[in-house]
Amino acid sequence: MLKKMSLALVMAGLVGGAFAATEADVESTFFPYKKGFPSFPGLSAGTVISKDNVDQFKDALAEGTYMMIKNGYTTVTVGETIDFQLPKEYIQATKDNLNKTQLGAKAGDNISGFVAGRPFPEEPDAKDPRAGEKLAWNYKYGLNWGDNAVIKPLIMKYRNMESGAVERTLTNHFSFLNFKHRIKDDPVPEVTPNPSDLFRAIYLEVVGPEDLKDTKLLIQRYDDDSKLDDAYLYLGFQRRVRRLAAGQVTDAFLGSDLMIEDFEGYNGRVADMKWTYKGTKNVLLPMWKHNEAPLGDEIPADDDGYKYIKFGGKGGCFLQAPWQLRKAYVLEATPVNPNHPISKRVFYMDAQLQNLNGAIEIYDRNGKLWKVWSVGKSHPDYHLPINKGTGIGIDDGFQMVDVQSNHCTTGHFRGEVDKSQTPPQKFQVQYMRGSD
């Protein structure tokens, strides 16, 4: 009888596209450096990688990062690899719900049985044709800013790489809220009422310059991944809200080098892409301790003394804080829609945090490299006091480099994990007509 039950469980796992995970898998996914940090010949903290020595370290770099250094656009200083321990509540939720989540019958279908935590904590297996899909689900239900947070401000600068001229500066306020599968901040596990069964929402408001002031964007993502996101745009000078068509999330956002779909690394449904796991490698990713990193003077310090990450290199387009050698999953995403403006994205997914924004390469329809995209993260304990102890990797700055047009957009962040600034009513269409 016991053997029959075991066989049934195994078969259920295979039908659902998942191999059964163990407690050891949970330990490994959240504590990948328990037995020591990765190494690479000749690479140590303080090493500066430039065009003169980059070939020596090519295998420790994302392809786009290698190209930027090889072309002499920037250098990368290596920092000490550190542990980014996630919240104990998220780890416990993963243990409590181990093997409850099952893939759908085919790629693009919804998962079933998910409650909270990391849905698929097992190490990806190259022999598993749906390993990439599992990593994508881990990202969707990962701790992308946690249960709630704000970036206030997020200053975006549009730059000509050739001349170094800053063509435009946008100052924005970003807010994030998880409606469901919450693990730490009250209410847990869900914000109620939630009649639309939303999973997450993002709210953006432009506070400058004057011609774009009061432009607002609201994105509502359903828990049901088969439903398209609802996206709404409010233009202050028109004083009306309009719903964005699905195709508009791949247009340039307010003249920047980013699409709405690029937000946070990838801002779309799992079902919108075919996900392929391409292997695991130790690679340098932009992760650091903010309080010990190079800080810039381009943006004046805030009233409390907070300063923003320094940028430099060609056109001032490149993060100057240190990069860490980290275990990463290489994940390729190919759009399901044949009319999509890109042919694929390649993500270097940090194995511990399982976000999708450390290093990204975006290819145009012809398969040619178009953009190199990175979001740097600070350890929360070395950032603003409000972030200490949260276990949330704090997005601290970004570089989006269009290698075809020699143009870039940089992002300068002040992020706070703070539920007091994210009331649920802020993420409703009616709120867009008011003021923050």
Side-chain angles (χ1 to χ4, degrees):
M1 181 66 179
L2 187 59
K3 287 184 178 179
K4 287 182 179 180
M5 288 177 62
S6 298
L7 181 60
L9 287 171
V10 170
M11 291 305 296
L14 290 172
V15 170
F19 304 137
T22 66
E23 289 275 347
D25 289 319
V26 177
E27 283 295 304
S28 178
T29 194
F30 291 117
F31 304 99
Y33 307 120
K34 210 167 188 179
K35 296 180 180 178
F37 293 111
S39 63
F40 189 89
L43 199 68
S44 59
T47 301
V48 177
I49 304 176
S50 69
K51 64 180 181 180
D52 298 324
N53 64 353
V54 67
D55 287 329
Q56 179 184 348
F57 304 111
K58 183 176 182 179
D59 289 341
L61 294 165
E63 289 186 20
T65 307
Y66 167 78
M67 195 191 90
M68 297 293 96
I69 300 172
K70 183 71 172 177
N71 289 347
Y73 295 169
T74 189
T75 61
V76 164
T77 300
V78 179
E80 180 186 4
T81 303
I82 57 174
D83 193 42
F84 276 67
Q85 185 170 331
L86 281 76
K88 63 180 185 300
E89 295 88 350
Y90 188 71
I91 298 172
Q92 188 59 50
T94 303
K95 292 179 178 179
D96 291 345
N97 298 293
L98 197 60
N99 296 317
K100 289 182 181 178
T101 306
Q102 295 293 316
L103 292 173
K106 63 182 185 302
D109 288 351
N110 271 313
I111 54 174
S112 61
F114 175 71
V115 179
R118 186 164 284 172
F120 301 103
E122 63 269 20
E123 189 74 12
D125 187 337
K127 296 177 182 177
D128 179 1
R130 302 182 72 178
E133 187 183 351
K134 293 173 190 174
L135 292 173
W137 285 110
N138 286 355
Y139 167 69
K140 174 172 178 174
Y141 291 118
L143 292 176
N144 306 309
W145 283 108
D147 292 337
N148 25 243
V150 296
I151 309 174
K152 197 172 181 177
L154 189 162
I155 300 170
M156 296 168 60
K157 291 185 175 288
Y158 304 0
R159 302 174 186 262
N160 182 312
M161 277 183 68
E162 291 300 325
S163 67
V166 176
E167 301 164 342
R168 194 165 179 79
T169 300
L170 257 67
T171 302
N172 312 284
H173 293 169
F174 260 90
S175 302
F176 309 88
L177 178 71
N178 285 357
F179 281 85
K180 294 186 70 175
H181 312 294
R182 298 169 62 85
I183 53 97
K184 189 173 182 180
D185 294 331
D186 289 333
V188 174
E190 182 176 1
V191 172
T192 55
N194 182 17
S196 298
D197 197 35
L198 298 177
F199 160 56
R200 193 169 190 255
I202 300 173
Y203 180 79
L204 173 148
E205 180 180 9
V206 180
V207 296
E210 196 64 33
D211 63 322
L212 289 175
K213 187 177 181 181
D214 293 330
T215 298
K216 300 170 186 178
L217 174 69
L218 173 65
I219 301 170
Q220 296 174 326
R221 176 154 299 139
Y222 291 92
D223 201 31
D224 181 350
D225 196 68
S226 68
K227 292 185 177 181
L228 291 171
D229 294 349
D230 286 334
Y232 303 90
L233 187 69
Y234 175 84
L235 300 173
F237 65 89
Q238 291 183 350
R239 300 189 64 79
R240 69 183 183 91
V241 176
R242 64 184 179 89
R243 189 168 181 169
L244 294 183
Q248 289 180 280
V249 299
T250 55
D251 293 339
F253 177 67
L254 299 180
S256 73
D257 295 291
L258 283 78
M259 314 169 185
I260 292 173
E261 193 181 81
D262 291 323
F263 290 0
E264 300 185 89
Y266 175 67
N267 182 40
R269 301 180 305 161
V270 174
D272 290 332
M273 298 283 160
K274 177 185 176 183
W275 302 89
T276 305
Y277 166 64
K278 306 294 284 188
T280 299
K281 67 180 297 187
N282 294 328
V283 64
L284 286 163
L285 296 177
M287 299 171 72
W288 52 69
K289 300 176 181 179
H290 179 98
N291 296 341
E292 299 177 9
L295 304 177
D297 297 318
E298 183 179 16
I299 298 171
D302 293 342
D303 290 343
D304 61 357
Y306 178 85
K307 298 183 74 174
Y308 297 79
I309 287 296
K310 184 178 180 180
F311 281 76
K314 187 175 183 180
C317 292
F318 297 91
L319 296 158
Q320 297 298 290
W323 295 47
Q324 300 179 13
L325 187 66
R326 300 184 65 84
K327 178 183 177 182
Y329 302 131
V330 185
L331 184 61
E332 185 176 288
T334 305
V336 173
N337 180 359
N339 297 316
H340 198 286
I342 71 168
S343 61
K344 67 177 180 180
R345 288 184 178 91
V346 177
F347 302 94
Y348 296 80
M349 178 191 230
D350 182 72
Q352 186 169 34
L353 297 182
Q354 299 208 9
N355 298 140
L356 282 181
N357 52 14
I360 306 164
E361 293 132 19
I362 301 173
Y363 293 80
D364 66 16
R365 283 184 179 178
N366 296 319
K368 186 179 179 182
L369 183 64
W370 180 13
K371 298 175 185 177
V372 177
W373 172 213
S374 288
V375 180
K377 287 188 182 294
S378 171
H379 193 291
D381 294 352
Y382 301 89
H383 200 266
L384 291 163
I386 195 169
N387 297 323
K388 188 173 183 178
T390 61
I392 304 298
I394 305 298
D395 290 355
D396 211 22
F398 74 68
Q399 58 186 45
M400 173 66 92
V401 180
D402 185 330
V403 301
Q404 296 186 9
S405 67
N406 284 318
H407 196 272
C408 75
T409 302
T410 57
H412 312 251
F413 292 46
R414 179 189 172 113
E416 301 181 25
V417 180
D418 181 10
K419 68 177 182 179
S420 71
Q421 298 187 61
T422 57
Q425 62 267 26
K426 190 176 194 175
F427 302 88
Q428 304 300 327
V429 175
Q430 306 89 288
Y431 187 86
M432 300 180 79
R433 298 185 179 89
S435 58
D436 222 347

